[in-house]
Amino acid sequence: MRSAFIVAIAALGFTATAAQAQETTSTNGTSFRGIRIEANAGGDRFQSQGNHNDKFGYGGTIGFDGQIGDRIVIGAEGSYWRANEWNENCSGASGGTVCHKSFDEYGAAVRAGVLATPQLLIFAKGGYVVNEQRKRLDTPTGGYYDHFNTSGYQVGGGVEYSFTGEDARMPLYANVQYVRSQYNDNTARQRVMAGVGLRFK
């Protein structure tokens, strides 16, 4: 699973590099170009077994954006996310308790957006995710324990605001976004998060 994630990041990076090489020169003073790195934090909801649990989560994103014309921004990103002290759903089953826990999530996505103004980007994104999970059943007579990785897809969107123009050496920006991850074992994650980051041209 981790090797597939690395391949996906490399492929997205190649795609975005090609897009950046083909971009036209913008004259609107925007800073939405180049490599970016950001810290993320917000609410995490892990859904499994018909239940959900809400916790605080945090992570980071690294990516880059290219610009097509004066208004279209497109790029690729890799992300890391985890709930604080992980996230787990437990319920009664088979005379005992079954608990489904989610650990680290790694993602690779393509992001595309439109500049509402030179400083405000409205974007959507979609991509691939890998999540480390554990499922445990405890009963008076025994049980089972399964630790595994599951993959899936993510979709989301949000808005991003640049506090500085294109002349800044390292433009500062902030965003808010919603992201849903759907895993192949019929579990899911939703997060509403804020991010603060820097761009490197």
Side-chain angles (χ1 to χ4, degrees), residues 82-140:
R82 59 165 288 178
N84 187 40
E85 298 182 351
W86 317 121
N87 205 338
E88 185 172 32
N89 294 315
C90 293
S91 58
S94 303
T97 302
V98 61
C99 292
H100 205 154
K101 184 176 254 187
S102 174
F103 296 94
D104 303 302
E105 180 191 279
Y106 297 88
V110 172
R111 186 175 90 150
V114 176
L115 290 169
T117 72
Q119 290 182 287
L120 181 64
L121 175 70
I122 302 170
F123 65 88
K125 67 181 182 180
Y128 173 81
V129 288
V130 176
N131 183 223
E132 180 186 359
Q133 295 185 7
R134 183 198 72 192
K135 197 167 187 179
R136 187 184 79 244
L137 173 65
D138 295 319
T139 69

Side-chain angles (χ1 to χ4, degrees), residues 35-59:
I35 297 171
R36 60 187 174 88
I37 184 168
E38 70 183 65
N40 304 111
D44 178 90
R45 170 172 287 189
F46 177 57
Q47 299 168 258
S48 66
Q49 306 167 179
N51 298 321
H52 70 264
N53 190 39
D54 298 331
K55 298 195 74 172
F56 174 76
Y58 56 90

Side-chain angles (χ1 to χ4, degrees), residues 55-71:
K55 298 195 74 172
F56 174 76
Y58 56 90
T61 303
I62 184 168
F64 73 88
D65 295 313
Q67 196 172 341
I68 301 173
D70 286 340
R71 298 192 63 196

Side-chain angles (χ1 to χ4, degrees), residues 160-178:
E160 187 166 291
Y161 183 80
S162 178
F163 294 104
T164 50
E166 65 176 341
D167 293 333
R169 184 174 180 181
M170 291 189 297
L172 174 68
Y173 69 90
N175 58 40
V176 291
Q177 57 184 306
Y178 166 82

